[in-house]
Amino acid sequence: MKDSFWYPIVFMLIMVVIFTSILSVMYRFNQDKIMRQERDSYQRAVLSTLASAIAEYTGESRESIMAAYPESYDTYVVSQNYPGFERECFQAKVDDEILAYCFEIRGKGLWGSMQALVSTSVDLRTILDFAIVSQQETPGLGARIEEDWFLSQFRDRLFVVNPDAEGDVSQSYEFIAETQVPENDRQLRRVTGATITSDSVVKMLHDEFNYIYKYFRENVL
Amino acid sequence: MTKKDIFVNAAFKENSVWRQILGICSALAVTNLMLNSLILGLGVIFTLALANFTISLIRNWTPRSIRMMVQTLIIASYVIIVDIFLKANIPEISKQLGPYVGLIITNCILMGRAEAFASQNKPLDSMIDGIGAGLGYTLVLLVISFIRELFGFGSIFGFKVLGDWWISWNIMVMAPSAFFLLAMLIWAINTYYYKAKA
């Protein structure tokens, strides 16, 4: 029977149906949990990038704001849509006063796309905080862009230095070795062994700020 | 062969990595951090054990002409189960391992054990063989990642063990270091175990 023409086809079909069904059931049972985990992780990242601005205004500590998630997220963070603006935008808001903005930005890394969150001052010129949400870089090399020493280089940095420019609104940066100490505010330490990934992060910020700042300059500010 | 012999054979005597030179790609890719190596190793043990068991269970009904398609389907299904489990329960690790979990499907050890053992032996024996082969693979990953993480980052499982005085060996973080460490491991085992025994 095993040598007949139809047996392998029917056998394979049965196997596919059985295993696809098992996977479908398994996914269905875990779908809500996975989506909840992804949503919580994303909202925590948004809150984290805005926490310093909220803490400064309310007098609460950054840690207590993070510990009070999800209540603190619901209290302080508002998702905002602007017509024709193609980025996720969040505002940290207290008593109807906007304290900071947070944008979801995207760019290309060495191996795939990168997704990050950047929070800015109300005039959108200074980066308050910066976090990588997802990336596909090499673990131990490019993936180290998520480490705090690398990300902290962008914190409280005046990024938009040419607010009226038609071209690039930000300045160019020079990368130095990870072990070196920057001598001026144009120097950034790159991740050792991940030159392209480090460059990609700065390129993503440049490109996205050019888009975001120009949109806000013309439509919101 | 007793069940203990099957286990010892799969894990050590005929270890998939140092004896059969299988599963090299992931052994090179993820071994710069011990935690990633451990989680990937556990994923491979789970997949190997259950895939071997299932393949063995249906071996008498599986047509020879499509056996490899069936094996791939079974292996892929278990890998997706591992992926769903990690995403639902330990999302941080799932994020860190990224595409490597999916790449378990392409790990030669799985197809190798399915073809060499599971398709010719009883389900329980095949499961033990899968656990043994998976443990042997995980052992190699952990040995290599121990050396790479220690010298590359000065840490073990993310905990700093070498102080700030330690200057990290960047070569250990990069893939080439895994090549020569694996080669040295294979040489040492061949010289001091197999040749000494012969």
Side-chain angles (χ1 to χ4, degrees), chain A residues 15 21 40 66 78 93 96 98 104 112 119 130 146-147 153 159 163 178-179 208 211 216:
Chain A
M15 293 302 293
S21 305
D40 285 358
M66 290 310 297
V78 180
K93 228 174 181 179
D96 284 335
I98 300 170
E104 182 190 304
S119 64
F130 180 47
E146 292 191 5
E147 290 181 7
Q153 300 184 98
F159 201 77
E178 190 177 324
T179 48
E208 293 290 82
Y211 172 73
F216 269 67

Side-chain angles (χ1 to χ4, degrees), chain A residues 159-163 165 167-171 209-210 213-214 217:
Chain A
F159 201 77
V160 176
V161 292
N162 305 311
D168 201 347
V169 294
S170 54
Q171 65 181 348
F209 260 88
N210 277 331
Y213 189 79
K214 284 175 187 170
R217 188 175 65 189

